[in-house]
Amino acid sequence: MRRWDLFCTVVDNFGDIGTCWRLARQLSDEHRIDVRLWVDQLDSFARLCPAISTVAAVQHVNGIEVRHWSSDFPKVDAADVVIEAFACELPATYVSAMADRSVPPVWINLEYLSAEAWVEDCQGLPSPQARPSLKKYFFFPGFTAKTGGLLRERDLMCRRAAFDTAAQSAFWKSLGIQVMAPDSRSDEVRDGLPSRDELRVSLFCYENPALPDLLECWSNGSAPVRVLVSPGAASKQVSDWLGEPLAPGLLRRRASLTVQALPFLPQAEYDQLLWTCDLNFVRGEDSFVRAQWALRPFVWQIYPQAENAHLVKLEAFLIRYLEGFQDSAVVRRCWQAWNGCGDIQTAWRDFVANRQSIERHNKDWAGQLDRLGDLADNLVKFVSAS
Amino acid sequence: MSVKIAGELQSGNVIIVDNVPVIVLKAQYNKSGRNAAVVKLRMKNLMTNRISESVVKADDKLEGVMLEKKECTYSYYAPPAHVFVDSEFNQYEIDAESISDLEKYLVPDMTDVCEVTFYEGRPISVVLPKIIVREVEYTEPVVRGDTSGKITKSAILKDSKHELQVTQFVEIGDKIEIDTETGEFRRRCN
């Protein structure tokens, strides 16, 4: 089982390719597996990993063969293990190549992350296929021992621990992040690190109706807040609220609030941002998982779904995550408000007031998750047993 | 043969899996990510009677089987099968395990007209009428002045001894309507 093909379609945003790229690197680096990663949108991929060429049909990056998955799919031999990420549809010619092998490949559908109980019942089950010689299995990431766990590189926590004050200073500087003198009222950029008496918040979100109220709250609050805004929906909404453009390197100030736009960060740097900020707003799946390993207090915006199906999933996670935590009501209110159910301003004030106990809880929570083993490792074991 | 969309599968449907007919015993629909969904299937192989579980994407297309259906009435239990009779007094035995969800409503010589499904001449599943009437054998009497706020109570059906929730005013000996799809009490008949 040395050759694996991993298929990824970028439906929207960066979560799909973000997860697939992490998995591909772990399989290659930690399990010495020959990985061929098929991606339909190299532009999105290149933003996460600048070493990626957006035009090459075939390229090798970090020991992984990256193939552009175009509509004109080439004739290739099927690998020993085939992973379709997030239920993407494999090319028909490739499925034929799988059926043509003398020993059929292990075929895995890597599913979306959910904390709901039904995931445990479906984990690892086979899925009937039109070609009886082929067997596909569903593999679910998750938060319990009966699921596949979460992606986590073996050295992640060591790297986080080694990210000391000097490394953090270098990180801020590498981003070109400057700080204004506390008494400054201009947009003039001054050299130096963010001051230590301000709350540093990273912001990565989908378009969120609660964001203007939160910006208002930060602006009118007595404590200084520096919000580091990721490009995309968050940046656009903050810019609309400010009434002026926002671009990487630009600094805007409204009373107690300082807004600083970030460039698109590759994965390693985004991790460092999560480690360095006092508090993180994350969204979707990939940044949500990384925020849990970052140990800092975080607020999750779940991917919105029809018929409010996402609220059921949000609640399922909150139940698991907050079990036994004395300040659970504070976290629940803030997360619900951020996802459209409640007043974000009141919820935020309670949340930030309790951030130290939330951070302690997050360390315990990450410890629980760590004991599940990581997804790549669990996947390799599952494939071997299949 | 026909095409069945996985998300529309129900218990009693027969599909072809690995060239073998299987009957769906239970189909559990769950919303996954990005408005997608998966369906967990509990199935019985009609050739070997082996039970298995699978999961499919809700939009997967599966090969369905056109089946013959006949109106029958329930007659009696002859372990390990239940016996049904058609209008020409032909008897059909159906493995009890295949219709275990319905056993709570089966009463010897009941008059409800059921729909029996056949695969290659062999009876494999039964659908009861949506609404059936059964007699309450036991339920606690209403306590006058009860202010606990409870609006339902347990009742045990005659013959099958099946227990379900009914409204407070139902009494022993009452005939009640039951929805066989949801298993819920609908109303009192008399």
Side-chain angles (χ1 to χ4, degrees):
Chain A
M1 301 289 184
R2 300 318 307 168
R3 288 175 53 241
W4 291 36
D5 269 337
L6 175 51
F7 287 84
C8 174
T9 52
V10 178
V11 177
D12 55 9
N13 308 310
F14 303 95
D16 313 271
I17 185 58
T19 299
C20 289
W21 182 231
R22 286 186 200 283
L23 174 60
R25 276 183 299 152
Q26 266 194 266
L27 292 171
S28 173
D29 295 347
E30 299 174 6
H31 298 274
R32 303 286 161 222
I33 288 168
D34 295 332
V35 181
R36 188 165 54 179
L37 173 59
W38 299 85
V39 188
D40 64 343
Q41 289 184 29
L42 292 172
D43 290 353
S44 298
F45 193 2
R47 297 191 72 186
L48 282 171
C49 174
I52 291 289
S53 157
T54 56
V55 293
V58 184
Q59 55 194 307
H60 290 81
V61 178
N62 290 23
I64 292 155
E65 182 179 338
V66 176
R67 293 282 198 117
H68 182 215
W69 179 1
S70 60
S71 53
D72 182 22
F73 196 82
K75 187 171 165 50
V76 293
D77 290 336
D80 303 319
V81 180
V82 179
I83 299 179
E84 54 179 44
F86 308 115
C88 68
E89 194 78 30
L90 298 187
T93 52
Y94 188 84
V95 176
S96 296
M98 289 163 68
D100 288 344
R101 283 175 53 112
S102 55
V103 178
V106 179
W107 184 2
I108 304 278
N109 172 29
L110 178 63
E111 265 291 335
Y112 293 96
L113 174 62
S114 172
E116 292 163 291
W118 62 264
V119 165
E120 293 184 336
D121 296 334
C122 292
Q123 161 66 354
L125 287 182
S127 185
Q129 295 304 305
R131 296 169 192 255
S133 65
L134 294 176
K135 270 209 165 32
K136 180 160 82 175
Y137 299 90
F138 273 58
F139 195 88
F140 288 84
F143 304 94
T144 71
K146 291 181 180 171
T147 67
L150 302 177
L151 283 173
R152 181 199 29 74
E153 303 84 2
R154 283 178 190 160
D155 63 351
L156 177 66
M157 300 320 270
C158 292
R159 280 192 284 120
R160 187 192 182 285
F163 196 64
D164 56 15
T165 310
Q168 290 176 33
S169 299
F171 169 69
W172 289 122
K173 283 186 176 171
S174 75
L175 291 180
I177 288 181
Q178 314 290 333
V179 69
M180 288 164 55
D183 59 346
S184 170
R185 289 291 178 271
S186 76
D187 286 348
E188 185 187 348
V189 170
R190 304 274 177 88
D191 193 18
L193 297 174
S195 71
R196 295 302 299 166
D197 59 353
E198 68 183 8
L199 187 75
R200 284 168 290 169
V201 178
S202 76
L203 178 65
F204 183 41
C205 62
Y206 303 114
E207 187 176 341
N208 191 324
L211 180 54
D213 281 350
L214 186 58
L215 292 167
E216 206 69 46
C217 179
W218 286 337
S219 168
N220 295 335
S222 55
V225 174
R226 175 181 296 261
V227 60
L228 300 153
V229 186
S230 291
S235 177
K236 182 180 181 311
Q237 229 186 327
V238 172
S239 170
D240 288 348
W241 180 81
L242 288 165
E244 54 186 328
L246 200 57
L250 283 179
L251 200 70
R252 305 292 186 205
R253 188 166 175 177
R254 295 288 184 276
S256 295
L257 173 64
T258 303
V259 174
Q260 194 141 1
L262 294 174
F264 195 94
L265 296 180
Q267 288 181 325
E269 280 103 293
Y270 184 70
D271 273 338
Q272 292 173 343
L273 179 74
L274 296 176
W275 300 341
T276 313
C277 285
D278 298 309
L279 203 144
N280 299 302
F281 282 77
V282 291
R283 73 178 201 193
E285 187 165 325
D286 188 49
S287 61
F288 169 53
V289 171
R290 303 311 282 188
Q292 290 172 73
W293 297 128
L295 312 180
R296 301 289 194 200
F298 66 103
V299 184
W300 180 36
Q301 185 184 8
I302 190 168
Y303 188 90
Q305 293 201 48
E307 297 166 358
N308 284 335
H310 58 291
L311 296 181
V312 177
K313 294 172 185 295
L314 177 69
E315 180 59 20
F317 178 75
L318 284 171
I319 288 170
R320 291 196 191 282
Y321 166 55
L322 298 176
E323 188 183 358
F325 178 41
Q326 79 274 11
D327 295 322
S328 62
V330 165
V331 176
R332 181 182 297 276
R333 266 201 305 277
C334 187
W335 283 39
Q336 286 174 337
W338 188 237
N339 285 279
C341 308
D343 171 24
I344 190 64
Q345 295 195 349
T346 313
W348 164 259
R349 281 190 281 266
D350 291 343
F351 186 85
V352 78
N354 286 278
R355 68 189 171 90
Q356 286 179 335
S357 78
I358 296 169
E359 185 154 337
R360 282 194 298 275
H361 174 71
N362 283 358
K363 284 176 182 157
D364 293 342
W365 171 247
Q368 277 184 55
L369 296 177
D370 193 42
R371 288 190 285 280
L372 305 176
D374 97 89
L375 187 141
D377 206 32
N378 292 336
L379 185 57
V380 169
K381 286 176 186 157
F382 180 82
V383 166
S384 301
S386 300
Chain B
M1 299 297 176
S2 62
V3 172
K4 286 272 185 193
I5 305 297
E8 296 169 359
L9 284 174
Q10 296 177 335
S11 56
N13 288 156
V14 175
I15 55 175
I16 301 294
V17 172
D18 294 346
N19 294 328
V20 173
V22 300
I23 182 166
V24 175
L25 302 178
K26 190 173 184 182
Q28 185 187 346
Y29 183 93
N30 292 297
K31 291 193 173 175
S32 177
R34 286 219 189 94
N35 299 314
V38 299
V39 183
K40 183 185 176 189
L41 299 173
R42 183 172 165 79
M43 308 177 292
K44 187 172 83 168
N45 183 318
L46 289 175
M47 311 307 281
T48 64
N49 282 341
R50 197 175 74 85
I51 306 281
S52 64
E53 290 185 333
S54 291
V55 59
V56 289
K57 299 176 196 171
D59 56 1
D60 273 356
K61 293 182 178 68
L62 301 166
E63 192 178 336
V65 178
M66 299 300 282
L67 299 161
E68 185 194 351
K69 296 183 178 184
K70 268 188 189 175
E71 287 190 345
C72 296
T73 51
Y74 179 63
S75 188
Y76 59 94
Y77 180 48
H82 290 283
V83 180
F84 290 79
V85 183
D86 69 12
S87 57
E88 292 165 345
F89 302 104
N90 297 307
Q91 294 196 345
Y92 306 105
E93 291 189 359
I94 303 179
D95 180 34
E97 193 181 14
S98 301
I99 55 173
S100 57
D101 282 358
L102 305 179
E103 284 186 304
K104 55 184 174 279
Y105 303 124
L106 298 180
V107 177
D109 297 320
M110 68 190 205
T111 55
D112 304 292
V113 177
C114 310
E115 189 178 71
V116 175
T117 302
F118 296 80
Y119 174 72
E120 293 184 343
R122 179 176 149 208
I124 54 168
S125 70
V126 177
V127 176
L128 292 182
K130 179 170 168 58
I131 305 299
I132 58 171
V133 176
R134 293 291 181 269
E135 186 176 332
V136 172
E137 182 176 273
Y138 180 76
T139 188
E140 292 289 336
V142 179
V143 179
R144 291 194 187 281
D146 181 1
T147 56
S148 66
K150 283 192 292 189
I151 54 168
T152 62
K153 60 179 181 175
S154 290
I156 295 171
L157 300 182
K158 191 178 174 188
D159 296 318
S160 70
K161 311 298 180 197
H162 173 57
E163 190 173 330
L164 77 167
Q165 292 293 305
V166 297
T167 47
Q168 285 285 356
F169 54 78
V170 171
E171 295 173 358
I172 293 170
D174 280 352
K175 294 223 165 80
I176 59 170
E177 284 189 359
I178 300 166
D179 184 329
T180 58
E181 288 176 6
T182 63
E184 290 170 356
F185 164 81
R186 278 187 89 232
R187 66 185 182 95
R188 188 169 62 172
C189 299
N190 48 346

